[in-house]
Amino acid sequence: MRPLIRAVVLGLVGYVAGAWLTVAVRGGSPSDDVAVVFGFILGLIGWLMGIGVWNAWAREWFGLPAKPDQATGWKRYFTFNTDHKVIGIQYLVTFIAILLLGGAMALVMRMELARPGQDFLTLDAYNKLMSMHGILMVATAVAGVLGAFGNYLVPLMIGARDMAFPRVNALSFWLIPPVAIGLLSAPLLGSFDTGWTAYPPLSVVNQGGQVLFILAVTTFGLSSILGGLNIVTTVATMRAPGMTWGRLPIFVWGAFCASILSLLVTQFFAASLILILLDRVAGTTFFGAAAGGDPLLYQHMFWFYSHPAVYIMVLPAFGVMLEIITHLARKPLFAYKAVVAGFWGIVGLSTIVWAHHMFTSGMAEQLHAPFMALTEAISIPTGLVFLGALGTLWQGKLQSKTPLWLAFGWLFNFAIGGITGIYLADVATDIHLQDTYFVVAHFHYTIVGGTIFALIAGSYFWFPKITGRMYNERLGKIFAVWLTVGFNLVFIPLFWLGVNGLNRRVADYPEFYAGPNAFASVAAYILGAGFLLYAGNLLWSARRGPAAGPNPWNARTLEWQLPSPPPEHNFPLLPEVVGHPYDYGVPGSVHAAQEAAEGGEE
Amino acid sequence: MALSAGAAHERAEAMWRPRANRLGLWLFFASEAFLFAAFISARFVTSGTDKPDTLNQPLALGITVVLLASSISAYLAETSIAHGDRKGLIRYLSITILLGLVFLVGVVFEFREAMEYFPPGTIYGSNFVALIGLHGFHVFTGIVALAVALGLGKKGHFEPDDYWGVEGVVKYWHFVDLAWVIIYPTLYLF
Amino acid sequence: MNERGGYKQDAIRVGLLWLGLVVVLEAVWFATEILPRQYAEEAKIIDDAFNLLTILGIPVFSFVVAMLIYSAFRFRSRNDASEDGPPIKTSKPVVVTWLVVTSALALAILINPGLVGLAELRANPEADLVLEVEGQRWQWVVTYPNGAEVRDELVLPVDTRIRFDVTSVDVLHSFWVPGFRTKIDAVPGLVTSVYVTPTELGTFTDDVNLRLQCAELCGIGHARMVMPVRVVEKAEFESWMAEQLTAEAPAAEGRG
Ligand SMILES: [Cu+2]
Ligand SMILES: [Cu+2]
């Protein structure tokens, strides 16, 4: 725990020093935007140095020997540990905690929305709570699956002993707590009320909490970029002998493709936020119309990141779900090559569709038709993912286990999310539906129904690998049904609300919309209560569950050929891959030569 | 002959480590290229190719030449250590740092003139501040990295068959130069 | 192990399940009225697009659901021992058919409702009446051709093609009347336009969707940045507009 305490202390000292120095140089108050900027930057550096960047890394820059942290056992999780499995678990636990926090915020919002009129949240407080919920959940979706399973599984699945840059990996994770602290302490500076989208001019003229939002989210972007860089490099250079691209497990493909996107496009989000910051602190006028600035510039830059971000969220989720479906249907992944081509199709198209978010923004009308066409084209590669999933289930020997139940819920939800997305890609319908509850319902179907379902399903499926123990199957299945049904009960009514004229991001609404809102609120409490079952099952099973053994699913991919949990550095000897990972039912087929790893090679 | 597990892993790492380092660096450049592209596109979207005639063209040309020259000295530093010439490494790294500092001083002068003639409150001024600031920050980090390499080189680090630290820093410096080669016409010439 | 005949039987059964679902869901869609009442020509164009997408979307959705239901019951492994399924790795005809069908669907919706809807919405650049709308935190200010500035009720003539020229003085807002379906952002420094041709008489008090609602988050008052809308006969509109000039204070009877 000492590094963590050191990090907190140095972070605070850094913040105070940065803010104080700014005030000393230019006067003003320590809550001014500029002072917050310098405070945050020095605080971030202090935090990182304290947690272990100095000891494990920066000392080398001065010719001193590095002193990596030697902690073992549970203490590893609170240090600058470079083991990819430790980092994966750090991500998993952190983002499930943030998910539950963001979910609790949603319940408070639903409480206010349960009936028309303003009840216990002021209009302002509602906007700020909604904004906080939004950014926390978007961060969870972006980094949850990729950070947790990407880190934990990619090296195991490709037969590597760690990531290519273990220290960069630890840095990616330890950038996250300052992001959370920065966002959650924004209320001290008046919070931010612009949603997670932070559109200017509002985000230029509102409270100082917006500055913390900008700094925290930019830091989060840095973490995503470094994480993506690490996964791409690892997959490209560290595959075990025989692990050709054509034999790569599908989750690795998903993580790889998402990482390429994350590595590149995240910079546009950072850039757009930095321009807002400059408008606030450096007197620039990028978004001030009076001096020739252009508010639409932000939307273009923002969505150039934020549309692909949907695929950064969902490509690893595709991977997780297809792994689960293949292993638990005990059939080869149907049309593996077509699915991988679908992933690449998504990567290629995702960066040229952003302006479908801007059909009502006032941008040039000539852009409408091309962006509609490109957006609708994305349904083709996405369809290949459905083909892979449904084709694998077909004629399978389905093992009735929680992760597979969740996979069914996921396919159902994502079908709804995908089809309703067409209404938003079509210019005519989008003109009506843009900025309504229809959009809210749609993106919850893709992000929760698509990505969060994968985070949860994956946390069941790999639970025995990570903890060495088995979760309670009956409680797991009850939760799978609870989650799927509850989720649909909350969000189906929101489609109706949007179509019938309720705009999003409002604390108050006309009496006309009372019924479905009340229904969604009650359903939301039921859905929320279900998470007690989830957390309870996993927490209890992690300590008391029956031993799971190395391969409870009798699965073929490499991570299941190791003890649960896998030892440090994973493979005593690198495995040699000789066959496809999903050849279930193919007589005599082998994925990896295990014997070679036992005694040493001649 | 049986190979011990440890030796096998070392041999494997010797295979992929250099490739991973280089790929990682190039991916980082690709990512950074997107950052610069975002700022550059902001310039063209908001103000087209408009520019004030109060720009200090000679100064800009001067610091451009200085920065390009620093790329040559950086290259020489890398080839020096590749041939085991530690003195050359130290000399050329020092020259590169010096040229980088001269560039930064030039940027400070530019900034002061900008504040007077085309302040950030104008749209060109906004883009000027953003692009020069972004690039200046990269030059600054490049100088810090060069200084770290210089310090390590003086302490006897890096060998002809192991100078990834120098190679990486020098490549980064070239990248920062290349970024300027695009930003300079974006702000001054178009 | 399944025989070839078994595969065929499964395919027929899931096909029937799919057909059944399609029939039921389409019937439900045609029998219920989900879309709100149309008060403008533009609403009709947009609702037609919505209808067509739903009619085409139902078979796609039903296919996924039919496959899921059938697989869950038919292919569930009875014994927990991990016996493997048949090693079907891929099937070229299936993949090709899938690609052809999904591409054809994507192309179909791109043409209609996509491009067709777009063309219909933009068919007529003429306007019989031009109103200037200014969004500000947190109210709408509408300027009529005679110079009257109105803040508390948007009164419009029926059967008249109206162009709204929209702008903002502070942050982004969005001009949206759900009953008309059309929406356009109010952007500082930019004048954006939207066309509306009201076809039905009505007032906000009768139908909540006759309201000019700000649809772009603009701060504290966003939720309540609402202006009631009333569609009246042309003659009534003319006299109402004239009244707005004479009455210094905005007309109070509009709330009726
Ligand atoms: Cu999008
Ligand atoms: Cu608003």
Side-chain angles (χ1 to χ4, degrees):
Chain A
M1 294 305 272
R2 195 183 295 158
L4 198 59
I5 294 166
R6 201 169 52 207
V8 170
V9 171
L10 284 181
L12 279 174
V13 169
Y15 188 93
V16 172
W20 182 81
L21 277 174
T22 314
V23 172
V25 170
R26 68 179 277 280
S29 128
S31 63
D32 285 351
D33 289 358
V34 194
V36 175
V37 172
F38 286 105
F40 188 90
I41 292 172
L42 285 194
L44 182 63
I45 294 172
W47 162 273
L48 292 174
M49 289 300 166
I51 197 67
V53 170
W54 171 256
N55 272 341
W57 201 347
R59 284 171 58 92
E60 285 183 2
W61 304 338
F62 300 90
L64 305 166
K67 291 197 291 191
D69 203 282
Q70 303 295 339
T72 54
W74 62 271
K75 284 185 180 157
R76 285 176 300 165
Y77 298 101
F78 300 95
T79 64
F80 195 77
N81 191 295
T82 55
D83 182 344
H84 71 99
K85 297 185 291 298
V86 171
I87 294 168
I89 292 168
Q90 285 172 328
Y91 266 103
L92 185 63
V93 172
T94 306
F95 279 105
I96 286 181
I98 293 177
L99 173 74
L100 296 179
L101 181 64
M105 289 176 183
L107 291 186
V108 178
M109 285 154 64
R110 279 311 329 170
M111 209 176 287
E112 171 62 45
L113 293 172
R115 52 180 197 203
Q118 180 219 323
D119 294 321
F120 68 100
L121 287 175
T122 62
L123 297 177
D124 191 39
Y126 179 88
N127 287 350
K128 289 169 175 172
L129 188 67
M130 173 273 298
S131 304
M132 186 72 83
H133 163 80
I135 190 64
L136 290 181
M137 290 308 217
V138 165
T140 303
V142 165
V145 178
L146 193 55
F149 300 125
N151 276 308
Y152 196 92
L153 294 173
V154 165
L156 289 172
M157 284 180 159
I158 65 169
R161 285 158 58 88
D162 206 323
M163 292 287 236
F165 309 112
R167 288 186 299 202
V168 175
N169 205 14
L171 175 63
S172 298
F173 172 74
W174 284 108
L175 283 167
I176 300 288
V179 174
I181 296 167
L183 288 173
L184 292 173
S185 56
L188 298 176
L189 293 173
S191 209
F192 48 93
D193 62 352
T194 54
W196 83 278
T197 49
Y199 277 9
L202 184 58
S203 55
V204 175
V205 298
N206 64 353
Q207 313 80 346
Q210 192 74 42
V211 173
L212 277 175
F213 172 96
I214 291 169
L215 295 165
V217 173
T218 309
T219 308
F220 177 68
L222 179 62
S223 163
S224 298
I225 290 166
L226 295 176
L229 188 149
N230 223 331
I231 289 178
V232 173
T233 311
T234 304
V235 176
T237 63
M238 292 173 71
R239 282 165 290 128
M243 178 60 86
T244 57
W245 291 99
R247 287 174 181 160
L248 223 46
I250 199 67
F251 173 72
V252 178
W253 271 119
F256 182 75
C257 290
S259 296
I260 290 176
L261 279 177
S262 157
L263 169 69
L264 299 177
V265 296
T266 308
Q267 296 282 15
F268 268 73
F269 196 8
S272 64
L273 291 176
I274 290 171
L275 294 187
I276 290 180
L277 192 63
L278 288 176
D279 269 14
R280 292 184 71 117
V281 303
T284 60
T285 179
F286 285 102
F287 309 116
D294 180 4
L296 293 189
L297 168 71
Y298 176 85
Q299 296 179 35
H300 282 294
M301 293 173 77
F302 173 82
W303 288 112
F304 186 80
Y305 162 75
S306 293
H307 184 79
V310 175
Y311 296 104
I312 296 172
M313 299 170 191
V314 91
L315 280 167
F318 287 164
V320 165
M321 286 311 198
L322 291 172
E323 290 285 339
I324 289 172
I325 288 171
T326 306
H327 294 310
L328 293 181
R330 307 208 60 77
K331 257 186 74 212
L333 174 57
F334 186 75
Y336 169 90
K337 283 184 187 157
V339 172
V340 174
F343 284 8
W344 280 109
I346 288 171
V347 170
L349 283 171
S350 69
T351 54
I352 46 173
V353 299
W354 73 89
H356 61 222
H357 295 270
M358 299 172 62
F359 289 146
T360 64
S361 70
M363 72 171 179
E365 287 200 341
Q366 305 90 283
L367 296 176
H368 288 192
F371 275 103
M372 170 170 64
L374 289 165
T375 304
E376 289 176 353
I378 281 205
S379 62
I380 300 166
T382 310
L384 290 173
V385 176
F386 274 91
L387 174 67
L390 297 176
T392 308
L393 292 172
W394 188 248
Q395 304 294 341
K397 294 273 181 265
L398 308 192
Q399 308 293 304
S400 174
K401 303 289 182 192
T402 306
L404 192 63
W405 284 42
L406 283 164
F408 274 73
W410 172 78
L411 280 163
F412 179 83
N413 295 333
F414 207 71
I416 294 179
I419 290 168
T420 52
I422 298 283
Y423 294 75
L424 302 173
D426 183 85
V427 178
T429 41
D430 182 66
I431 287 175
H432 176 52
L433 299 172
Q434 167 69 359
D435 272 316
T436 67
Y437 261 92
F438 189 94
V439 175
V440 175
H442 158 72
F443 74 70
H444 279 85
Y445 266 91
T446 56
I447 295 178
V448 181
T451 302
I452 302 300
F453 264 60
L455 183 67
I456 291 170
S459 68
Y460 280 106
F461 186 71
W462 283 287
F463 185 83
K465 179 51 58 187
I466 293 171
T467 63
R469 294 177 186 277
M470 204 56 183
Y471 61 85
N472 183 300
E473 193 63 64
R474 177 174 305 201
L475 288 180
K477 282 178 188 164
I478 293 174
F479 177 68
V481 175
W482 194 324
L483 180 68
T484 309
V485 173
F487 171 75
N488 277 281
L489 289 180
V490 178
F491 288 98
I492 288 277
L494 304 192
F495 283 120
W496 185 90
L497 286 172
V499 170
N500 281 278
L502 182 55
N503 50 317
R504 67 191 281 208
R505 293 170 162 172
V506 288
D508 186 13
Y509 51 82
E511 189 71 41
F512 178 66
Y513 304 107
N517 264 309
F519 183 90
S521 287
V522 173
Y525 306 141
I526 296 172
L527 174 63
F531 276 87
L532 295 174
L533 202 60
Y534 172 68
N537 187 354
L538 294 195
L539 285 177
W540 191 85
S541 303
R543 318 193 91 227
R544 297 285 160 80
N551 194 357
W553 312 123
N554 196 11
R556 290 170 53 101
T557 41
L558 283 174
E559 81 272 26
W560 297 107
Q561 317 313 321
L562 293 169
S564 303
E568 216 186 337
H569 299 309
N570 309 339
F571 299 93
L573 263 186
L574 286 187
E576 179 149 2
V577 178
V578 294
H580 206 270
Y582 304 122
D583 280 350
Y584 289 103
V586 179
S589 144
V590 182
H591 176 43
Q594 271 315 164
E595 279 65 37
E598 298 288 310
E601 227 178 359
E602 289 300 305
Chain B
M1 228 191 79
L3 198 61
S4 81
H9 289 305
E10 264 175 36
R11 206 175 58 176
E13 173 147 7
M15 295 282 285
W16 61 258
R17 174 51 67 195
R19 294 203 305 142
N21 282 345
R22 289 208 181 97
L23 178 63
L25 192 65
W26 280 103
L27 288 173
F28 177 69
F29 293 159
S31 178
E32 288 276 278
F34 269 67
L35 180 63
F36 282 106
F39 276 74
I40 290 169
S41 62
R43 187 270 195 266
F44 289 120
V45 168
T46 52
S47 58
T49 55
D50 291 350
K51 60 177 195 293
D53 35 13
T54 44
L55 283 168
N56 189 338
Q57 294 286 4
L59 175 62
L61 189 61
I63 61 173
T64 304
V65 171
V66 167
L67 200 61
L68 289 178
S70 76
S71 241
I72 299 173
S73 61
Y75 168 77
L76 291 173
E78 191 184 339
T79 42
S80 297
I81 191 64
H83 292 95
D85 175 6
R86 184 167 304 278
K87 281 209 179 107
L89 171 76
I90 291 167
R91 179 180 341 117
Y92 288 120
L93 278 181
S94 308
I95 292 175
T96 311
I97 291 171
L98 201 70
L99 292 172
L101 288 172
V102 171
F103 177 85
L104 276 188
V105 171
V107 165
V108 171
F109 271 100
E110 266 183 313
F111 243 96
R112 288 179 52 176
E113 290 190 12
M115 290 297 159
E116 201 173 320
Y117 297 120
F118 39 93
T122 64
I123 194 66
Y124 178 87
S126 296
N127 284 296
F128 187 88
V129 166
L131 270 169
I132 297 284
L134 177 74
H135 184 261
F137 174 73
H138 279 81
V139 172
F140 171 74
T141 56
I143 289 174
V144 170
L146 286 165
V148 167
L150 178 64
L152 290 175
K154 277 185 174 166
K155 283 193 178 165
H157 284 254
F158 310 124
E159 298 298 333
D161 59 351
D162 174 26
Y163 59 92
W164 165 247
V166 176
E167 186 190 332
V169 168
V170 166
K171 283 214 170 91
Y172 179 67
W173 190 255
H174 290 324
F175 173 79
V176 172
D177 261 22
L178 182 68
W180 180 253
V181 169
I182 296 165
I183 288 172
Y184 170 59
T186 299
L187 285 175
Y188 286 89
L189 302 185
F190 285 141
Chain C
M1 274 277 151
N2 249 308
E3 302 291 317
R4 274 236 161 267
Y7 290 11
K8 210 169 176 185
Q9 227 178 27
D10 287 331
I12 291 168
R13 283 201 215 126
V14 85
L16 289 173
L17 181 58
W18 174 53
L19 273 180
L21 275 172
V22 171
V23 169
V24 170
L25 288 179
E26 297 281 5
V28 168
W29 177 250
F30 280 102
T32 51
E33 224 159 274
I34 304 281
L35 299 174
R37 187 158 173 192
Q38 300 165 352
Y39 285 92
E41 271 174 25
E42 291 72 17
K44 196 180 163 331
I45 298 170
I46 286 167
D47 286 1
D48 285 350
F50 195 100
N51 261 313
L52 187 54
L53 289 179
T54 308
I55 292 165
L56 291 173
I58 283 174
V60 177
F61 175 67
S62 304
F63 179 75
V64 174
V65 174
M67 288 291 283
L68 289 180
I69 293 175
Y70 191 80
S71 300
F73 290 100
R74 175 70 180 79
F75 302 129
R76 191 174 152 186
S77 175
R78 306 280 158 217
N79 44 353
D80 225 24
S82 312
E83 57 167 333
D84 289 347
I88 311 166
K89 290 183 130 189
T90 186
S91 153
K92 206 169 175 195
V94 172
V95 175
V96 170
T97 312
W98 185 274
L99 269 176
V100 169
V101 171
T102 51
S103 306
L105 269 175
L107 191 64
I109 54 162
L110 171 62
I111 294 168
N112 191 15
L115 297 172
V116 169
L118 207 52
E120 284 174 4
L121 284 174
R122 292 195 193 148
N124 182 1
E126 315 277 291
D128 308 326
L129 175 67
V130 177
L131 302 183
E132 284 168 27
V133 180
E134 187 184 85
Q136 49 176 266
R137 299 209 274 175
W138 286 277
Q139 62 173 338
W140 297 101
V141 182
V142 181
T143 309
Y144 282 78
N146 64 355
E149 266 189 21
V150 176
R151 288 156 202 266
D152 70 338
E153 190 184 29
L154 177 62
V155 176
L156 303 172
V158 74
D159 295 326
T160 309
R161 190 160 168 84
I162 307 165
R163 191 181 81 216
F164 294 92
D165 286 346
V166 183
T167 192
S168 164
V169 292
D170 38 45
V171 299
L172 296 177
H173 302 278
S174 193
F175 175 100
W176 181 44
V177 182
F180 300 154
R181 308 291 189 273
T182 50
K183 181 183 293 132
I184 194 75
D185 280 7
V187 184
L190 197 66
V191 176
T192 53
S193 298
V194 67
Y195 291 90
V196 176
T197 315
T199 50
E200 294 261 336
L201 303 179
T203 73
F204 173 61
T205 40
D206 301 331
D207 191 329
V208 73
N209 281 325
L210 281 179
R211 70 187 199 279
L212 168 48
Q213 167 77 55
C214 177
E216 185 66 77
L217 185 57
C218 55
I220 298 171
H222 170 60
R224 292 178 179 163
M225 188 164 156
V226 173
M227 187 179 198
V229 174
R230 181 158 56 106
V231 182
V232 299
E233 297 289 359
K234 283 184 190 173
E236 192 183 345
F237 172 76
E238 291 300 334
S239 58
W240 174 87
M241 190 164 73
E243 246 171 58
Q244 299 313 302
L245 267 190
T246 50
E248 193 60 64
E253 49 90 28
R255 288 270 175 187

